C-alpha cells in the first residue's frame, strides 16, 4: 500500500494523536508499505517523524478552504499513486479529503483520537462525502457517533492505541531537586482540555494537610503563564513544579510515585498508557477511553490499575491521591496490574496488525469491483 497521513496541527503542538500517527506510519513501513506523514514545515510532528525514520512531506493547511493547497495535495496523491489518505483534523478532511476525491484516491479515512465530529451540518456534509470511514481508539467515541444516525454500522472502526514498552528506562532523579518528596506526576499540553488548573487546586487541598508531596507537570502551551500565576497565588511554589516540554517522559514516569490525568475530555489517553507501561498506578478522570484502557469490572465501577474519578473535581483528585499515596503495596499492586494490561493488550505490534488488516480489507473492498487496479 501507498499511504499518506496528513496532520495540520500547530507547529509547536505535539500529543498522543501525533505519536499514534508516527507509530502507525513506522509500523506499516516496517511491513514494506510506502508511508509518508505530511504536516507543517518545522513542526514537532515532522521533526519527531524524521527522528523515527518516517518519510515526511510539508503541506501547509491553515483553514477549511485552501484551493491551492488542495490542488497541490491532489497532484501529490496522483504522482505517488497514493492508495489511502488518512486525515487527522477536520480541516485536513476538508482540504486533503477534497484533493483525494479530485485525484480519485481509492480510500480516504479520518482518524479521530477524540470527539472531533459533532452534530453540526458541516461535519455531516464533509465527513460523509469526503471520507470512507473513521478510525477511532475508543468504543465510547464509536457509540457516540452511532447515535448521530449519519453513518453505516461499519463506518467507524475502533483500533486501540499501542506502544512499545522500553526494555530499560533510567528513572528521573526527582530527589536531586525535590528531596524527601512523594512525586505525583502529570504531563500534557498546558491547555484547558488537560485540566491542570484542577490538579493544582487538588495540590492546594493536600498542601493544607502535609508538605511531603510534589506535583510535577511536564508540558508547555498557551496556559503556562496562567498556571504559573495560579501556583503563585495559592503559594504552592514548593508543591507544584512546571517542568516544561519533554519528548520523552518515560524517565519522569519511571521516577514518580503516582500518575494523574485531570483531563476534561480525551480519546484514548496515550499518556495513561505510557504511565501504565512504566508500572505506575493511575488516577484518571472518567473521560472517553479511560475505562477501556485502565480496565474495570463488569459493573464498570472498580479498576485494578488505578482510580477513576469525575472530571472538574479537585476534591476527588485529592481524595484519590490521599487514599493510596502512603501505601507502597497498593501503589505497586496497581502499577503492576497496569503494566501487565498494556503488555498484553496495548502493544504497537497489535495496533499495527489491526490497522494493516483494516486498511487492506477496506482497500480490497473498494477496489474489487473495478478491473485493472493493483492487487494487494
Amino acid at each position: 500500500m501507498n499511504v499518506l497521513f496528513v496532520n495540520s496541527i500547530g507547529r509547536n503542538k505535539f500529543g498522543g494523536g501525533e505519536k499514534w500517527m508516527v507509530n502507525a506510519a513506522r509500523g506499516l513501513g516496517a511491513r514494506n508499505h510506502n508511508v509518508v506523514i505530511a504536516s507543517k514545515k518545522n513542526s514537532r510532528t515532522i521533526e519527531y517523524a524524521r527522528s523515527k525514520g518516517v518519510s515526511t512531506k510539508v503541506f501547509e493547511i491553515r483553514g477549511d478552504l485552501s484551493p491551492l493547497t488542495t490542488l497541490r495535495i491532489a497532484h501529490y496523491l496522483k504522482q505517488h499513486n497514493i492508495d489511502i489518505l488518512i486525515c487527522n483534523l477536520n480541516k485536513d478532511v476538508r482540504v486533503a479529503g477534497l484533493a483525494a476525491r479530485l485525484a480519485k484516491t481509492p480510500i480516504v479515512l479520518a482518524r479521530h483520537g477524540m470527539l472531533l465530529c459533532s452534530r453540526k451540518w458541516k461535519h455531516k456534509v464533509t465527513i460523509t462525502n469526503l471520507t470512507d470511514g473513521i478510525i477511532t481508539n475508543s468504543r465510547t467515541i464509536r457509540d457516540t457517533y452511532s447515535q448521530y444516525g449519519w453513518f453505516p454500522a461499519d463506518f467507524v472502526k475502533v483500533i486501540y492505541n499501542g506502544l512499545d514498552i522500553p526494555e530499560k528506562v533510567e528513572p528521573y532523579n526527582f530527589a536531586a531537586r525535590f528531596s524527601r518528596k512523594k512525586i505525583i506526576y502529570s504531563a500534557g499540553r498546558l491547555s484547558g482540555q488537560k485540566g491542570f488548573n484542577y490538579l493544582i487546586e487538588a495540590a492546594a487541598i493536600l498542601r493544607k494537610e502535609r508538605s511531603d508531596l510534589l506535583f510535577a507537570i511536564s508540558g508547555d502551551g498557551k496556559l503556562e503563564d496562567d498556571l504559573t500565576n495560579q501556583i503563585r497565588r495559592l503559594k504552592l511554589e514548593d508543591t507544584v513544579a512546571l517542568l516544561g516540554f519533554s519528548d520523552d517522559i518515560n524517565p519522569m514516569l519511571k521516577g514518580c510515585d503516582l500518575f494523574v490525568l485531570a483531563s476534561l475530555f480525551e480519546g484514548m489517553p496515550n499518556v495513561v498508557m505510557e504511565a501504565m507501561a512504566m508500572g505506575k498506578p493511575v488516577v484518571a478522570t472518567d473521560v472517553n477511553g479511560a475505562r477501556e484502557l485502565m480496565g474495570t469490572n463488569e459493573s464498570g465501577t472498580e479498576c485494578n490499575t488505578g482510580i477513576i474519578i469525575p472530571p472538574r473535581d479537585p476534591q476527588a483528585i485529592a481524595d484519590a491521591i490521599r487514599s493510596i499515596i502512603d501505601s507502597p503495596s497498593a501503589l505497586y499492586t496497581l502499577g503492576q496490574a497496569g503494566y501487565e494490561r498494556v503488555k498484553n493488550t496495548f502493544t504497537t505490534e497489535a495496533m499495527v496488525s489491526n490497522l494493516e488488516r483494516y486498511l487492506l480489507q477496506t482497500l480490497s473492498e473498494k477496489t474489487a469491483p473495478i478491473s485493472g487496479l493493483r492487487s494487494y
Side-chain angles (χ1 to χ4, degrees), residues 35-166:
V35 187
V36 176
I37 288 182
S39 190
K40 294 181 176 179
K41 185 178 180 180
N42 298 325
S43 65
R44 284 181 176 171
T45 300
I46 289 282
E47 292 172 358
Y48 185 74
R50 288 173 178 168
S51 74
K52 299 299 182 181
V54 176
S55 298
T56 62
K57 174 69 178 177
V58 171
F59 286 124
E60 297 286 345
I61 298 177
R62 298 186 177 91
D64 288 343
L65 184 63
S66 182
L68 287 178
T69 303
T70 293
L71 291 175
R72 291 190 187 103
I73 295 174
H75 175 73
Y76 181 89
L77 294 169
K78 283 184 178 181
Q79 184 181 30
H80 294 273
N81 296 316
I82 298 300
D83 301 301
I84 299 176
L85 170 70
I86 302 177
C87 301
N88 184 49
L89 301 178
N90 288 326
K91 63 179 177 177
D92 300 334
V93 169
R94 295 179 186 121
V95 175
L98 177 58
R101 293 310 191 210
L102 294 174
K104 301 189 185 305
T105 300
I107 299 294
V108 180
L109 300 169
R111 199 272 172 171
H112 289 186
M114 60 180 63
L115 281 168
L116 295 179
C117 178
S118 70
R119 293 182 182 272
K120 293 180 180 178
W121 68 268
K122 68 177 182 178
H123 291 168
K124 177 180 180 180
V125 170
T126 55
I127 294 294
T128 57
N129 288 284
L130 296 179
T131 76
D132 301 291
I134 296 171
I135 300 170
T136 187
N137 53 16
S138 164
R139 292 195 305 269
T140 56
I141 294 177
R142 180 198 62 193
D143 293 346
T144 298
Y145 285 171
S146 70
Q147 297 171 12
Y148 293 1
W150 302 344
F151 308 123
D154 58 351
F155 193 84
V156 182
K157 175 69 173 179
V158 177
I159 298 176
Y160 286 132
N161 294 0
L163 56 74
D164 295 318
I165 301 178

Side-chain angles (χ1 to χ4, degrees), residues 8 34 41 79 91 100 109 121 132 138 145 172 178 183 196 206 211 221 244 249 285 344 352 363:
S8 65
N34 298 314
K41 185 178 180 180
Q79 184 181 30
K91 63 179 177 177
L109 300 169
W121 68 268
D132 301 291
S138 164
Y145 285 171
Y172 181 81
F178 314 105
I183 308 299
F196 289 124
L206 291 169
S211 60
I249 63 172
T285 46
N344 294 329
V352 173
L363 186 59

Side-chain angles (χ1 to χ4, degrees), residues 164-195:
D164 295 318
I165 301 178
E167 291 185 6
K168 185 176 182 181
V169 174
E170 192 68 29
Y172 181 81
N173 184 13
F174 283 102
R177 291 180 59 186
F178 314 105
S179 60
R180 295 189 295 277
K181 296 274 190 177
K182 296 178 180 180
I183 308 299
I184 294 95
Y185 181 67
S186 192
R189 290 191 305 275
L190 303 186
S191 65
Q193 171 200 343
K194 300 300 181 180

Side-chain angles (χ1 to χ4, degrees), residues 267-278:
M268 179 69 72
N270 264 16
V271 68
V272 168
M273 190 185 302
E274 291 171 324
M276 293 164 64
M278 289 295 101

